Amino acid sequence: MVGASHPVPVAPASPVVPSPRRPTGNGGSVWERTRWWYECALGWPTVPGDPVRLRTGVRFDVLDVPAGAGYATLEHLDRTERQDRMDRPVCAPPAGRAGGGSPAPGFPVAVQGGRMLLLVAAGAAEELPGLLEWLEWGSLALGLTALGAGGTVDAPLAPPGRAGLPPRPPERDGLHGAAVWLRPPEPGCEVESSLPALSVPGRTGTALDLARLVHTLATQCHRFRLTASGPPRARPVARVG
């Protein structure tokens, strides 16, 4: 019939393919969950591939020292902080980064294969050589190194419960080559506010002064090097979980 309308055939719609999704903290392999925890929960950049490696020089730099010297440094800083709290008047505010006193050394720390990795403010690696010279430690071999822009470090496995991970097997500790957290970072907290950094006049905060940390590390590294030939001091295995 003239003028009659005829239906126009319509091609079937193509099935919608969902975009790939990153594994959440409750699915995927251990390394996928670990990568998710660092990238999504903490916002730290990682390097493609397994095992997961973290990029330094973006959110933080790393000071790498012998574990014995690192433990001695943390013990000294904790002891000094406890003494400072006892001596501080009740009405006195906590000491800031630029002032006197002893701010709590609550920055993230990991251990791996007889070494300790201390997270410090981004840019600290560039400051380390000049800081050691200024502190009159520059002429000695201390075993104290730093990783900054362009560097990477092994990512410690996310602490159990933080990314749906089961308890770590007993052999997975800092003495067997796998990096583990001695003092893990806290998701939801800006890591920068806790990292040791150089004092800036007029700047307040609770982070440890980088010069104080480096001086203590250098002292303990020197002592560790001088006593390295003696019997090793027993240390607790650093393992979370």
Side-chain angles (χ1 to χ4, degrees), residues 22-210:
R22 268 194 186 280
T24 64
N26 296 319
S29 69
V30 169
W31 289 118
E32 286 174 335
R33 284 175 281 168
T34 295
R35 188 181 303 279
W36 178 90
W37 189 70
Y38 282 110
E39 293 187 350
C40 300
L42 294 179
W44 293 6
T46 65
V47 178
D50 293 334
V52 180
R53 293 184 64 80
L54 303 173
R55 298 184 186 274
T56 57
V58 182
R59 299 289 302 276
F60 55 84
D61 286 355
V62 170
L63 298 183
D64 184 335
V65 302
Y71 278 112
T73 294
L74 296 182
E75 290 170 0
H76 174 80
L77 294 174
D78 288 340
R79 187 167 57 250
T80 303
E81 166 60 14
R82 287 195 299 269
Q83 185 62 47
D84 180 71
R85 286 199 302 266
M86 293 174 59
D87 296 340
R88 186 185 304 147
V90 176
C91 60
R97 178 183 297 174
S102 304
F107 52 95
V109 178
V111 291
Q112 181 179 23
R115 306 287 296 183
M116 182 175 286
L117 309 175
L118 302 98
L119 272 60
V120 293
E126 296 181 5
E127 302 286 350
L128 182 62
L131 198 52
L132 288 172
E133 289 290 341
W134 180 67
L135 294 169
E136 299 183 350
W137 286 107
S139 61
L140 296 176
L142 299 170
L144 168 59
T145 60
L147 290 167
T152 63
V153 293
D154 287 350
L157 288 180
R162 307 293 179 91
L165 296 173
R168 184 178 294 109
E171 69 275 8
R172 279 198 174 277
D173 57 52
L175 301 180
H176 290 79
V180 296
W181 284 115
L182 178 64
R183 186 187 290 162
E186 292 296 330
C189 300
E190 289 293 329
V191 68
E192 287 83 356
S193 63
S194 70
L195 299 181
L198 287 177
S199 297
V200 177
R203 185 177 181 180
T204 60
T206 57
L208 186 67
D209 179 63
L210 180 64

